[in-house]
Amino acid sequence: MSNSILGRTGTSQQVLIIGGGLIGVTTLFELSQRGIPALLLEAGSALANETSFANGGMLAPSHSEPWNGPGIFGHLLASLFDPDAAVKLRLGAIPDLLDWGLQFIRNATPAKFQRAAQANYLLSAYSAVRTRQITLDHGLQYHQSDRGSLRIFSNQQAMDTPLQMAKSMEPLGLAFEMVNPNRAIEIEPQLAHSNMSIVGGLYAKNDGVGDARLFTRQIGRLAQNKGGEIRFNSKVSRLIQEDNQVIGVEVGGDIIRGPVVLAAGMGSVHLAAGIGLHLPIQPAKGYSISVEADGLGESQPKIPIIDDAMHVAVSPIGQILRVVGTAEFAGNNLSLRQRRLENLRKVFTRVYPQFDAHLDWNTAQSWAGLRPMSADGVPFIGPASQPGLWLNCGHGHLGWTMAAGSAQMLADQMLNQSPAIDSAPFHWIR
């Protein structure tokens, strides 16, 4: 199998990228910047209209650890009987989760969890730098801010494991500060009014926040300016193979030829299965509520605050406060469960009780998206086992954080160049 899209003459076929979210569009951007002809196929009518639509907006290398940490099996079992569990397993989803779930749990040993967290951190940090460089080079504006993020804890025991994880990442470059309650309030003054009992926190000064949807659409236009093509309402029905090599896709009964990049979130799983490639990726539903905060003026929070126990963050994105979080294993179900949304609102009210009466929750936008979660918590970036097929999928909760770096890493491999960081942890066979 060739690990390059370049032929003997140094020219390239048009690359076909499936998926118009963050991962697919950053891939289009990266290839277009390098002069590689590429066509992005999006089933819907706009970019970033699904999982990239209203996510938490945090560019957060400090949150790179997978969700299948040691002890996750017990938490998932307990969640069956706890409607308010931060990570919730729905009974009806269990049959579809059996094979994946066994892999998920097998990868929850301390050693495997640590390896995955380190690989994720290195890619996330690399990607955050790449995102900021793209932003600077092209003067992008997507309500970005680089003031860091703050995880808060209501008891010392809950902070111990995240603190040890942060310390283990320090040699890799993670800059963090363990803070007491007074320092937490100094970093985000609006926490002075919180109803939470904050015993301390972890401040990651190099994290950032921004509107992922706006970013996606802006770099989509940049890619088009460099010759990249985008076709909307172009649902790929199947991958086309000849002699065990992927040679194109079928869209609306037409065959389009070229090497293929799977970057369609959960849609990648179905398409790969059609050629016998079983991606160990399952959907973890996350919720968000976006509420207009322009009336708060100078009192608006400045950085994302994460309630670690509830897996909920409050992110200031421009004139919006976005409350985002929880993880629900419920299959491909995008329905909005009112109780989960109410839990987000409760966390917000505990963190910022002084704002609740000043926000119009009746006009707030509620949303859910399916995070494509790999069984070991690490995305697949690079060639698949079938020649002609490339993977950029399975990023879970880190899609926004990892997108630009993943595109760079994939493009390097497609051009038979050495990525700036080790790509081995992200290979299909690992």
Side-chain angles (χ1 to χ4, degrees):
M1 175 178 66
S2 171
N3 282 344
S4 174
I5 57 170
L6 295 178
R8 292 178 182 176
T9 63
T11 59
S12 170
Q13 284 183 282
Q14 185 179 53
V15 176
L16 309 177
I17 303 165
I18 306 174
L22 263 167
I23 303 300
V25 178
T26 50
T27 302
L28 178 72
F29 170 82
E30 196 61 53
L31 291 174
S32 300
Q33 291 294 304
R34 300 183 189 208
I36 303 300
L39 167 64
L40 185 143
L41 299 165
E42 163 56 35
S45 58
L47 299 178
N49 252 10
E50 294 187 19
T51 306
S52 304
F53 181 81
N55 61 25
M58 288 185 294
L59 281 165
S62 70
H63 297 270
S64 296
E65 62 266 32
W67 285 357
N68 57 331
I72 187 63
F73 182 59
H75 289 304
L76 288 174
L77 282 182
S79 79
L80 288 170
F81 311 100
D82 179 3
D84 298 326
V87 180
K88 174 69 177 171
L89 174 61
R90 297 286 175 191
L91 196 61
I94 290 177
D96 291 334
L97 286 171
L98 284 177
D99 289 344
W100 178 91
L102 289 174
Q103 294 183 59
F104 189 71
I105 292 163
R106 279 202 299 267
N107 281 294
T109 65
K112 290 180 179 179
F113 175 70
Q114 186 70 29
R115 282 198 300 272
Q118 289 178 348
N120 281 350
Y121 173 75
L122 289 172
L123 176 56
S124 295
Y126 169 66
S127 185
V129 170
R130 177 66 178 150
T131 302
R132 287 168 180 141
Q133 191 60 54
I134 294 169
T135 299
L136 184 64
D137 289 346
H138 299 280
L140 303 185
Q141 296 293 329
Y142 48 93
H143 305 307
Q144 67 269 28
S145 173
D146 293 321
R147 300 183 184 185
S149 70
L150 178 64
R151 296 165 81 170
I152 54 176
F153 302 87
S154 55
N155 67 76
Q156 184 61 46
Q157 185 178 3
M159 190 164 72
D160 287 343
T161 298
L163 175 60
Q164 291 306 312
M165 175 59 68
K167 286 180 176 178
S168 75
M169 297 298 168
E170 267 190 306
L172 302 179
L174 176 62
F176 79 95
E177 178 186 349
M178 183 175 66
V179 303
N180 61 26
N182 288 336
R183 175 65 175 138
I185 291 170
E186 185 180 316
I187 293 166
E188 178 47 78
Q190 298 306 324
L191 288 175
H193 308 282
S194 176
N195 284 338
M196 290 186 66
S197 174
I198 301 172
V199 301
L202 297 176
Y203 173 52
K205 66 180 182 180
N206 291 331
D207 285 355
V209 68
D211 188 322
R213 185 188 188 205
L214 272 180
F215 175 86
T216 303
R217 293 183 171 185
Q218 288 179 26
I219 66 162
R221 286 193 290 272
L222 291 174
Q224 288 174 306
N225 292 341
K226 283 288 189 176
E229 294 184 56
I230 299 174
R231 290 187 196 171
F232 295 110
N233 304 307
S234 298
K235 183 176 177 60
V236 175
S237 55
R238 66 186 179 104
L239 305 179
I240 306 299
Q241 276 188 305
E242 284 182 4
D243 300 324
N244 199 41
Q245 177 169 337
V246 174
I247 55 107
V249 301
E250 181 178 338
V251 178
D254 296 327
I255 305 299
I256 307 174
R257 288 180 169 266
V260 175
V261 177
L262 279 179
M266 287 310 305
S268 299
V269 178
H270 172 73
L271 289 169
I275 60 168
L277 182 66
H278 298 289
L279 297 175
I281 297 171
Q282 285 289 334
K285 181 162 66 172
Y287 292 78
S288 75
I289 305 173
S290 301
V291 60
E292 292 285 345
D294 51 353
L296 299 182
E298 288 301 310
S299 65
Q300 181 171 331
K302 300 300 188 290
I303 68 170
I305 299 295
I306 301 97
D307 178 348
D308 205 74
M310 290 303 296
H311 291 276
V312 172
V314 181
S315 293
I317 304 174
Q319 295 301 313
I320 285 175
L321 284 176
R322 183 166 292 160
V323 196
V324 61
T326 77
E328 187 177 348
F329 291 100
N332 287 298
N333 183 339
L334 274 169
S335 63
L336 293 170
R337 291 181 180 265
Q338 194 59 35
R339 185 157 185 164
R340 305 298 276 180
L341 294 169
E342 288 169 359
N343 286 345
L344 294 184
R345 175 84 181 274
K346 287 175 184 175
V347 172
F348 178 89
T349 304
R350 284 201 303 271
V351 175
Y352 293 128
Q354 73 275 27
F355 294 143
D356 198 55
H358 299 282
L359 300 172
D360 186 358
W361 293 97
N362 292 323
T363 59
Q365 183 180 47
S366 299
W367 172 88
L370 301 177
R371 309 176 184 100
M373 188 79 64
S374 73
D376 64 358
V378 178
F380 297 105
I381 307 167
S385 50
Q386 290 90 336
L389 182 64
W390 301 81
L391 305 175
N392 197 359
C393 50
H395 294 74
H397 66 295
L398 293 167
W400 174 211
T401 298
M402 289 181 166
S406 297
Q408 179 103 325
M409 178 185 285
L410 181 66
D412 286 338
Q413 294 178 79
M414 295 179 83
L415 296 172
N416 207 23
Q417 299 170 357
S418 296
I421 61 172
D422 184 12
S423 62
F426 309 95
H427 288 175
W428 167 240
I429 303 298
R430 58 196 191 210

